Amino acid sequence: MPGSFDGKLGLARAQTYVASEAFSFLRACHFNDLPSPHSAVLYRMAHLTLTNVHQCYGDRPILRGVSWSLTGGQTGVVLGASGSGKTTLLRSIAGLTPIKSGSIAIDSRDVTNVVAHRRGVAMGFQNDRLYPHQSIKRMLVESARCGGDKDPRSTAKHIADRLGVADHWHRLPDAISGGQRQRISVAKAILRRTPVCLFDEPLASNDVGRRESEMQWLRSVAHEMAQDRVWVLVTHDGDAALRLADQLAVMRVGKLVQIDSPEVIYQKPLFRSVAEAIGSPLVNWIDRHQCPVGWESILGDSDGLAIRPHNVRLQEQTPMAGDDQLATRVVIETVRTIDRGTLVEARNSGDSSYCWRVLVHEGGYVPAIGQVVALMVKREQIHSLPDDVTPT
């Protein structure tokens, strides 16, 4: 009986192996039937165009009239909080979730009703989608082969080296960390060399040190390999968005509320939610009723003022009044050392309803806790903004 049992177990394993090999073969054949990403007929310089895209889950709107256009060589980053609709937007572009209305075009070809595997889109998921029975080597080599690479093994090995997973080349997904699995998922999407490449929170599973190096890697690879392709990343990390984006789109309640270069969005936000989405420490937001005395004139019809902590200055004596800056007296509440300098928190003297955040760079004036000092901001560095975006 033991021999009979071992024979059955061996047969079952053999059948499982054959089935997995057959599935992988059919999958490879299926993708190899697709037009080559380098085909001069279908794919020259890629374009991605979203026009008035709406999406709902039941009666609940998720995407509200999203319109956006990206050209090959551009990396577009969608920045937003959890639940804002970022992942739904990616899934809609990929064809994994049908949209309610609007249109999606890739390279001037309307793909709104085209099935996912024929859109020319690759996607790296936030939660990795790796075959548990395949080694890292096999997954990357197959992805490179599907992308039409003439030397898929060398290309896959090069990517593995750059990602820091070459030492685990022969391991299965269960034998590597979550951050490493996510890097493999990103690499698979890149190696497919599709006109449009999507990444859902590609840095989320990495620790701080690895996230820093991977941001640099993603940026360099985008310039190296995406010269004629469109990359779209979604993230909730404002620092990563600023560093990776050619075009930055801030999403709130299913809307892209502002689309522009990272520099413009940082320096000229249109809404409070945009100002608060990027920058560390968090931007100072002062409601109308919290404004210091004498600051009301700069408000106009806006709901409040947004001021970056690094644009706020402190000094012992109150300066002479002038047209170029505003000032008030504050009481220092906390002083903390952070990676970018010293973070000082202070409250308006005589009115403790608002707490200021001030970033003092090395060599700057740092008062003592409890000290009353002057706080100053140049008028040109104060943004008077609407409070938020109203869903429609």
Side-chain angles (χ1 to χ4, degrees):
M1 289 298 291
S4 174
F5 178 80
D6 288 342
K8 291 180 179 179
L9 183 59
L11 177 61
R13 286 176 174 167
Q15 290 172 333
T16 301
Y17 176 78
V18 170
S20 67
E21 289 294 306
F23 175 79
S24 297
F25 173 78
L26 289 172
R27 178 178 177 275
C29 290
H30 176 68
F31 281 114
N32 286 336
D33 284 338
L34 296 179
S36 166
H38 304 292
S39 166
V41 177
L42 279 182
Y43 302 129
R44 298 182 183 89
M45 180 69 77
H47 298 271
L48 173 65
T49 304
L50 310 177
T51 305
N52 200 28
V53 173
H54 288 262
Q55 173 62 279
C56 297
Y57 287 151
D59 295 330
R60 185 164 64 97
I62 304 299
L63 300 179
R64 306 168 188 264
V66 173
S67 295
W68 197 15
S69 180
L70 290 164
T71 303
Q74 287 188 314
T75 298
V77 177
V78 182
L79 174 65
S82 297
S84 61
K86 305 186 304 294
T87 298
T88 300
L89 178 61
L90 283 196
R91 292 179 62 86
S92 298
I93 296 170
L96 301 175
T97 302
I99 63 175
K100 182 179 180 181
S101 62
S103 66
I104 300 171
I106 296 175
D107 202 17
S108 302
R109 182 171 67 110
D110 191 340
V111 298
T112 307
N113 298 311
V114 175
V115 292
H117 66 267
R118 295 204 174 277
R119 290 195 177 196
V121 175
M123 183 166 176
F125 295 87
Q126 180 177 2
N127 299 316
D128 60 87
R129 301 290 197 272
L130 304 181
Y131 297 109
H133 64 287
Q134 289 188 1
S135 66
I136 292 171
K137 172 184 175 181
R138 183 174 171 189
M139 281 187 282
L140 294 184
V141 170
E142 184 178 308
S143 294
R145 184 179 294 116
C146 290
D149 199 288
K150 294 180 179 179
D151 189 358
R153 190 184 186 284
S154 295
T155 302
K157 189 66 164 64
H158 172 68
I159 290 289
D161 285 333
R162 295 282 298 274
L163 278 173
V165 295
D167 292 341
H168 312 301
W169 187 242
H170 296 287
R171 292 187 181 182
L172 298 177
D174 286 346
I176 60 177
S177 70
Q180 290 169 333
R181 287 196 295 271
Q182 190 169 41
R183 275 175 260 155
I184 299 302
S185 182
V186 169
K188 284 180 62 181
I190 292 171
L191 289 168
R192 285 283 310 284
R193 293 184 180 273
T194 51
V196 176
C197 209
L198 311 174
F199 302 98
D200 189 1
E201 298 279 5
L203 307 172
S205 297
N206 292 291
D207 54 42
V208 175
R210 170 55 67 175
R211 189 180 300 121
E212 177 69 22
S213 63
E214 190 154 342
M215 270 196 286
Q216 296 174 359
W217 178 82
L218 273 172
R219 189 64 181 163
S220 65
V221 170
H223 285 289
E224 176 185 334
M225 300 182 66
Q227 295 179 2
D228 57 350
R229 303 157 68 195
V230 173
W231 282 22
V232 182
L233 297 81
V234 303
T235 183
H236 64 276
D237 185 338
D239 184 51
L242 288 173
R243 295 175 62 178
L244 293 173
D246 295 313
Q247 268 199 46
L248 178 55
V250 180
M251 176 166 271
R252 175 164 172 78
V253 293
K255 289 184 174 182
L256 296 184
V257 295
Q258 187 172 352
I259 302 171
D260 217 312
S261 68
E263 295 78 15
V264 170
I265 285 185
Y266 183 80
Q267 295 171 6
K268 298 179 180 179
L270 298 180
F271 299 94
R272 174 185 179 180
S273 57
V274 176
E276 291 181 337
I278 54 179
S280 178
L282 184 68
V283 69
N284 292 289
W285 173 256
I286 309 169
D287 286 324
R288 295 185 69 91
H289 67 276
Q290 293 175 324
C291 272
V293 176
W295 290 44
E296 300 85 352
S297 60
I298 203 169
L299 273 168
D301 295 328
S302 66
D303 296 314
L305 305 177
I307 305 170
R308 298 286 178 195
H310 69 267
N311 288 328
V312 182
R313 293 175 296 122
L314 300 172
Q315 68 178 43
E316 288 192 62
Q317 301 298 322
T318 303
M320 296 290 291
D323 294 334
D324 63 332
Q325 68 179 9
L326 295 174
T328 187
R329 302 288 288 179
V330 295
V331 181
I332 305 303
E333 194 165 83
T334 63
V335 177
R336 292 179 290 166
T337 299
I338 61 175
D339 58 343
R340 303 182 184 189
T342 302
L343 178 62
V344 178
E345 294 180 336
R347 293 191 181 274
N348 292 332
S349 180
D351 178 11
S352 61
S353 62
Y354 184 75
C355 182
W356 289 87
R357 286 176 290 276
V358 183
L359 181 60
V360 181
H361 294 291
E362 186 176 356
Y365 171 63
V366 180
I369 294 175
Q371 189 175 351
V372 179
V373 298
L375 179 149
M376 299 159 293
V377 187
K378 291 183 178 180
R379 285 178 177 268
E380 64 186 27
Q381 295 171 334
I382 301 174
H383 307 283
S384 53
L385 304 174
D387 188 1
D388 227 326
V389 181
T390 303
T392 56

